[in-house]
Amino acid sequence: MAIASNSRLLIAVGAVFVLLILAAAAFVITSRGGGEAPVGGEATGTTTPPQATGEETTTPAAYETTTSVATTEQARPISVLVLFDVGGRGDLSFNDMAALGADRAAEELGVDVVFQTPQSLAVMESVLDAASRSGEYDLIVLVGFLWQEPLEKVAPRYPEQKYALIDAATRERYDNVASYLFREQEVASLVGIIAADIANNISKATGEEAKAGAVAGMDIPPLWRFHIGYLYGVQYYNQAMGTDVEMVWTYTGRFDDPTLGKTTAEQMLQQGVRVFYGVAGLTHVGMFNAVKEAAARGVIAFSIGQDASQEWYDPQTIIISGLKRVDVAVYTAIKDVVEGRFRGGIVSLGLKEGGLGLSDEEIIRYFAEIAAETGQLPEGLTPEKVVEIVMSQREKWISNDGWRLVEELKQKIISGEIKFVTPQDHDTYDSIIEELKAGNLEAALES
């Protein structure tokens, strides 16, 4: 029962990842295709739509208001509305990360925060329009790419209303919209070092060849950036340690197929891959299951998650996760409004800005606690037990040299010594990968 329940939850997590990746790809290649309509989110709170002061030809469907935090002595505190995507709070991914950042802003900056979740894609524009028309909010935070198209329609109608769009960007610039994007190569390069180190240590223990791999989704620009960063990290480790860890990157062509993810990972296991990075949304949930089953058969193998902390799903084999710090993006957006520094345009977040990172004890515990509260944590585990198991596995399989190189590369990126290129076409991407395979690390960097 626990496994089935957890699978459903990670399916939701994976679905969010899939949609975000596809939207980012669509943005990068400047496609103007419409978004797909996901199903509605889970309703857990009171139904209280915002007041509409003008004519309304479309009646917004019901949506929920889940939380309100007000702690300030000001006569009129800064008021923030956080609009989750349809997954809502409790998704153990982007929405919960957003709530974490908003809660921090309420506590540290004394702002009032209201959370709402639309119940379907169909009502998102009308919900956003009504909230904007109300004039109640100094800032409206929109979590995820599903808000991109509704925002592009609504933002021009309310030029005085400030918006923060998280992990997506409008296709045209608006002075009242700040779009927060992430530099994926940076976190993937740190993951590459970790994966190479674990593969090398498994090789020492078993005598097998050292192979790290990745189960990826579709061959699209956001995944090119993950690929470049990951391979860069593996090769950075090889050159620093004098090793020859091989990297196997496999596109499945799907973000929504855990069965395909599992069979792909099983084939890679047969090829000797022992460390797997999941960048395929729902598809890489199947990868998690393949690695877990292999470990049960006595194979030493590990998985690495992406975006949110995913260790709680199986802490024995999911040893670390790359993070997109949506909480940092939300907190930064609110703080900019509080301090009068809000500006429209793109805000790029990477390691330097704290917008990316690797999962630590605090974030592992945070997501394990949510999993426990929602009945999703596997039987026999507690949040503390999850942290204990993960830290024990890291102590055993990630060396001090591995951590040293992670910190070294991280500081080079933060200082600006290393800046990754962003390929604009497939030929350039292919060329960079071939150069990296040949050991030319400079090929992945800006000159």
Side-chain angles (χ1 to χ4, degrees), residues 188 191-192 195 211-217 223 226-227 230-231 234 246-252 261 264-265 268 271 273-280 283-284 287 302 304:
V191 170
K211 291 187 179 181
V215 173
L223 272 294
F226 273 112
H227 190 179
Y230 189 57
L231 181 53
V234 170
E246 182 181 346
M247 200 279 274
V248 179
W249 181 274
T250 302
Y251 282 116
T252 61
T264 300
M268 295 169 70
Q271 296 168 12
V273 175
R274 293 293 179 264
V275 186
F276 295 78
Y277 187 23
V279 283
T283 300
H284 83 236
M287 179 200 79
F302 294 96
I304 298 173

Side-chain angles (χ1 to χ4, degrees), residues 192-210:
I193 290 175
I194 294 292
D197 188 54
I198 296 172
N200 187 49
N201 292 329
I202 292 175
S203 177
K204 289 179 181 177
T206 64
E208 300 173 337
E209 289 185 73

Side-chain angles (χ1 to χ4, degrees), residues 21-22 24-26 29 217-225 251 255 426:
I21 287 292
L22 289 172
I29 63 178
M218 299 176 69
D219 184 357
I220 55 178
L223 272 294
W224 301 351
R225 298 194 290 272
Y251 282 116
F255 287 110
H426 208 291

Side-chain angles (χ1 to χ4, degrees), residues 136-184:
E136 296 179 12
Y137 307 106
D138 297 280
L139 176 68
I140 297 178
V141 178
L142 304 163
V143 183
F145 91 98
L146 290 174
W147 287 106
Q148 178 186 330
E149 290 197 359
L151 179 60
E152 289 173 337
K153 296 176 181 176
V154 172
R157 302 174 194 159
Y158 304 96
E160 301 304 317
Q161 174 65 63
K162 299 180 179 67
Y163 303 92
L165 179 59
I166 309 300
D167 205 33
T170 55
R171 286 163 288 198
E172 296 182 15
R173 186 186 186 283
Y174 303 100
D175 290 340
N176 58 336
V177 176
S179 299
Y180 290 78
L181 299 176
F182 300 88
R183 301 188 292 272
E184 290 92 346

Side-chain angles (χ1 to χ4, degrees), residues 360-420:
D360 58 16
E361 291 188 36
E362 181 181 0
I363 204 75
I364 294 170
R365 185 178 295 105
Y366 175 76
F367 277 92
E369 287 174 348
I370 296 176
E373 290 168 1
T374 55
Q376 308 298 325
L377 201 62
E379 286 184 35
L381 289 177
T382 64
E384 287 304 321
K385 190 67 176 177
V386 170
V387 172
E388 177 184 332
I389 293 171
V390 171
M391 291 302 119
S392 175
Q393 293 291 60
R394 291 185 186 182
E395 178 71 21
K396 184 175 182 179
W397 293 106
I398 304 175
S399 71
N400 289 334
D401 283 331
W403 288 119
R404 175 180 60 78
L405 292 174
V406 165
E407 186 61 25
E408 178 182 283
L409 180 57
K410 179 181 176 182
Q411 293 307 317
K412 288 181 179 178
I413 294 171
I414 289 174
S415 69
E417 179 181 344
I418 283 181
K419 293 182 179 179
F420 288 100

Side-chain angles (χ1 to χ4, degrees), residues 257-263 265 281-291:
D257 192 339
T259 300
L260 176 60
K262 185 177 181 183
T263 56
L282 176 58
T283 300
H284 83 236
V285 176
M287 179 200 79
F288 286 157
N289 293 332
V291 172

